Amino acid sequence: MIEKIVSGGQTGVDRAALDVAIARGVAHGGWCPLKRRAEDGRIADRYLLTETPLEEYRQRTRWNVRDADGTLIFTEGVCSGGTALTRRYALKLEKPLFVVDVRRPCPIEAVGEWIIAEGIRILNIAGPRRSSAPAIETQVVAFLTELLDSAY
């Protein structure tokens, strides 16, 4: 069962994940760049994130993968940019990884079974930022809300 959701706080998938965690009363956190840097400016303090020593995105991406029990990536098609980097870190660190392409049907049960099989309690959630995938946030909110409401 998911005890905590972590992400890097970027717009798009990261914020959607944190917003769902807050709305559902699930603990949340993760690493964000120094000065709480994101594409839309400073990440709001309501997101309980810890700043890394560097302003770069790579460090927070790696640390969130490292510190979580597994990573759930949402994407529209092929992973690219920071989403691809997250995938590479998960593979390199040999951490459980599940990728959901929102353009293709993915049953909530498949993700729930993965969470149970891998014993994931701290779940890192990543994916494209708002400027790269403007519509993905709504899909991620709906998916994660149903996932958490399903008691995974």
Side-chain angles (χ1 to χ4, degrees), residues 39-54:
E39 76 172 350
D40 63 344
R42 188 176 188 286
I43 298 168
D45 291 333
R46 76 186 201 99
Y47 300 112
L48 306 178
L49 304 175
T50 304
E51 294 178 43
T52 61
L54 304 174

Side-chain angles (χ1 to χ4, degrees), residues 57-130:
Y57 294 123
R58 288 178 204 255
Q59 185 175 54
R60 66 99 157 111
T61 299
R62 183 178 176 90
W63 287 11
N64 282 330
V65 170
R66 176 197 70 192
D67 293 350
D69 297 322
T71 296
L72 175 60
I73 290 177
F74 289 92
T75 188
E76 290 180 339
V78 176
C79 293
S80 62
T83 306
L85 179 64
T86 303
R87 184 179 179 281
R88 285 194 303 272
Y89 281 146
L91 295 172
K92 182 177 181 177
L93 297 172
E94 298 180 346
K95 293 288 197 152
L97 174 68
F98 196 105
V99 178
V100 174
D101 181 346
V102 298
R103 293 180 180 174
R104 302 178 189 273
C106 177
I108 299 293
E109 295 80 18
V111 176
E113 290 169 9
W114 169 76
I115 288 167
I116 291 168
E118 298 292 346
I120 295 170
R121 294 183 177 185
I122 300 174
L123 179 62
N124 179 39
I125 299 177
R129 59 181 65 191
R130 186 178 299 137

